[in-house]
Amino acid sequence: MKLSGSIENLITALRCLPGVGPKSAQRMTLHLLERDREGGAALAEALQMALERVGRCDACRNFTEHETCELCSDGRRDQGLLCVVETPGDVMALEQSASFRGVYYVLMGHLSPIDGVGPEDIGLDRLEARFRAGGIREVILATNPTVEGEATAFYIAQRAEQSGISVTRIAHGVPLGGELEYLDASTLAHALTGRTPVSGTDA
Amino acid sequence: MKLSGSIENLITALRCLPGVGPKSAQRMTLHLLERDREGGAALAEALQMALERVGRCDACRNFTEHETCELCSDGRRDQGLLCVVETPGDVMALEQSASFRGVYYVLMGHLSPIDGVGPEDIGLDRLEARFRAGGIREVILATNPTVEGEATAFYIAQRAEQSGISVTRIAHGVPLGGELEYLDASTLAHALTGRTPVSGTDA
């Protein structure tokens, strides 16, 4: 059908967003034009601003507008406790749990030789330099429990141990609110292997 | 948690899109920053362009970049056949069916006295002026089959008949691929009332 060029363009452009197909893109376009032109203008500005200003933190590779991100430059956080994650989204999730007061290192991916992703591509050279520079007591590996995530964790663990840093892996097991009956076998196997002594019967 | 201001802004701004909650907005933001900065820039530009250029067609009130939209100014379309719809999305849907060669009139809503939406608010004054100006043979009412849509259709039908224009309503009935068993009672009632003679036994 014939459509005004710039309407058609907007529908196409919206499809760069994850989870937005042709129908949603059309609905979004008509919504913005009909009912929320102000919101649309604000969105265009926020997009340009973020794309222009947001880069990577020098220390942890997370997104930031500054040279060093707010978390790395926060004096109240424990710089000796380093949590390694795959993506900025993982940092957000961990921060929302409000149970970690150390700093992060964001790989922006995981080792994947098949896709040509080697140690340098996910910043492991700089991470090793930080290990050798000293000051880190413990590395917490919080990569995803996938084949690539586990391989990446294993690689980092070896390097950290070479620098005499103690290495831990976040616990894998039954999620809160989860029901044993519906869990997959490998999660249950992990939960059993990783069982911890009940308090009072300290091992 | 502490986030770079412009990342936070972008997450908030994305929530003006219909169907986008806080989690999707975060996912979209990280996706754009991590993997599709080009797409994000194109989106910002397309948004600004559309908001700046797209206005209403003088003749049919649909969205267009010109004074008169592509459909109204298309000489190959039958200007004597006018289809009245509620939204630009309805025009897109009808155009996709490729079974209508007349022109449209877009109300951008429906009569709704409770919400203070009167005839002028949905352009019925200008529609009546077009009826009186002559040149229209048939008005097809394609407002939605809701209480407000039906009331709006009824209102327009009266005005069109006053100008001696024949008025039709699009058929309501069983959708193709639909199963009778799962249809609601009012659709079935409509389907029965609106039954048409089978070809060959012309009434």
Side-chain angles (χ1 to χ4, degrees):
Chain A
M1 76 167 284
K2 268 182 178 177
L3 258 184
S4 277
S6 56
I7 298 182
E8 192 103 57
N9 279 351
L10 180 52
I11 295 177
T12 313
L14 278 166
R15 295 195 50 194
C16 76
L17 298 173
V20 176
K23 276 276 165 191
S24 311
Q26 179 182 311
R27 192 163 66 101
M28 287 172 170
T29 299
L30 294 178
H31 172 87
L32 289 178
L33 288 171
E34 269 176 66
R35 269 172 251 135
D36 198 6
R37 288 189 174 230
E38 224 164 274
L43 174 55
E45 209 191 303
L47 260 171
Q48 281 179 319
M49 196 92 90
L51 291 171
E52 195 179 289
R53 293 200 190 163
V54 175
R56 297 281 170 81
C57 169
D58 276 348
C60 74
R61 290 168 50 97
N62 198 0
F63 290 132
T64 179
E65 286 174 71
H66 312 285
E67 267 188 39
T68 309
C69 76
E70 287 90 339
L71 295 172
C72 289
S73 55
D74 185 344
R76 288 164 306 175
R77 298 190 77 106
D78 184 350
Q79 303 282 335
L81 195 59
L82 186 77
C83 180
V84 180
V85 296
E86 294 188 19
T87 67
D90 298 336
V91 175
M92 289 188 186
L94 284 165
E95 281 299 290
Q96 270 152 19
S97 81
S99 46
F100 180 64
R101 300 302 300 165
V103 290
Y104 296 92
Y105 193 81
V106 185
L107 303 174
M108 296 280 179
H110 44 232
L111 286 178
S112 179
I114 291 176
D115 305 312
V117 180
E120 281 78 26
D121 301 308
I122 56 171
L124 292 186
D125 45 345
R126 281 169 54 199
L127 183 59
E128 280 188 62
R130 271 183 79 171
F131 289 165
R132 283 193 296 269
I136 298 171
R137 289 192 319 279
E138 179 181 346
V139 168
I140 302 174
L141 299 169
T143 53
N144 290 323
T146 57
V147 175
E148 293 90 351
E150 294 290 357
T152 310
F154 183 73
Y155 183 99
I156 297 170
Q158 282 190 314
R159 297 304 185 281
E161 275 160 4
Q162 281 169 10
S163 301
I165 300 169
S166 80
V167 180
T168 55
R169 180 104 174 92
I170 52 164
H172 295 120
V174 183
L176 299 198
E179 292 186 48
L180 292 199
E181 191 179 344
Y182 301 111
L183 269 179
D184 61 296
S186 20
T187 302
L188 279 179
H190 261 288
L192 277 172
T193 323
R195 67 188 179 279
T196 50
V198 176
S199 61
T201 64
D202 211 64
Chain B
M1 76 168 281
K2 268 179 174 179
L3 258 182
S4 277
S6 55
I7 299 182
E8 193 103 59
N9 278 352
L10 181 51
I11 296 177
T12 313
L14 278 166
R15 296 194 51 195
C16 76
L17 297 173
V20 176
K23 276 275 165 193
S24 311
Q26 179 183 312
R27 193 162 67 100
M28 287 171 170
T29 299
L30 294 178
H31 172 86
L32 288 178
L33 288 171
E34 268 177 66
R35 269 171 252 136
D36 198 5
R37 289 190 174 230
E38 225 164 273
L43 174 55
E45 208 190 303
L47 259 171
Q48 283 179 319
M49 196 90 91
L51 291 171
E52 195 178 290
R53 293 199 189 165
V54 175
R56 298 280 171 82
C57 169
D58 276 349
C60 74
R61 290 167 50 97
N62 198 0
F63 289 132
T64 179
E65 287 175 71
H66 312 286
E67 268 188 38
T68 309
C69 76
E70 286 90 340
L71 295 173
C72 288
S73 55
D74 185 344
R76 288 164 306 176
R77 297 189 78 106
D78 184 350
Q79 303 281 335
L81 196 58
L82 186 77
C83 180
V84 181
V85 297
E86 293 187 19
T87 67
D90 298 337
V91 174
M92 290 187 186
L94 284 166
E95 280 300 290
Q96 270 152 21
S97 81
S99 46
F100 180 64
R101 299 302 300 165
V103 290
Y104 295 91
Y105 192 81
V106 185
L107 303 174
M108 296 281 178
H110 45 233
L111 287 179
S112 180
I114 289 177
D115 305 311
V117 179
E120 281 79 26
D121 300 307
I122 55 171
L124 293 186
D125 45 343
R126 281 169 52 199
L127 183 59
E128 279 187 63
R130 271 183 79 170
F131 288 165
R132 283 193 297 268
I136 298 171
R137 287 190 322 279
E138 178 180 346
V139 168
I140 302 175
L141 299 169
T143 53
N144 290 324
T146 57
V147 175
E148 292 90 352
E150 294 290 356
T152 311
F154 183 73
Y155 183 99
I156 298 170
Q158 282 191 314
R159 297 304 186 282
E161 276 160 3
Q162 282 169 9
S163 301
I165 299 167
S166 79
V167 180
T168 55
R169 181 102 174 92
I170 52 165
H172 294 120
V174 184
L176 299 198
E179 292 186 48
L180 292 200
E181 190 179 344
Y182 301 111
L183 270 179
D184 60 297
S186 20
T187 301
L188 280 179
H190 261 288
L192 278 172
T193 324
R195 67 191 180 277
T196 49
V198 177
S199 60
T201 62
D202 211 65

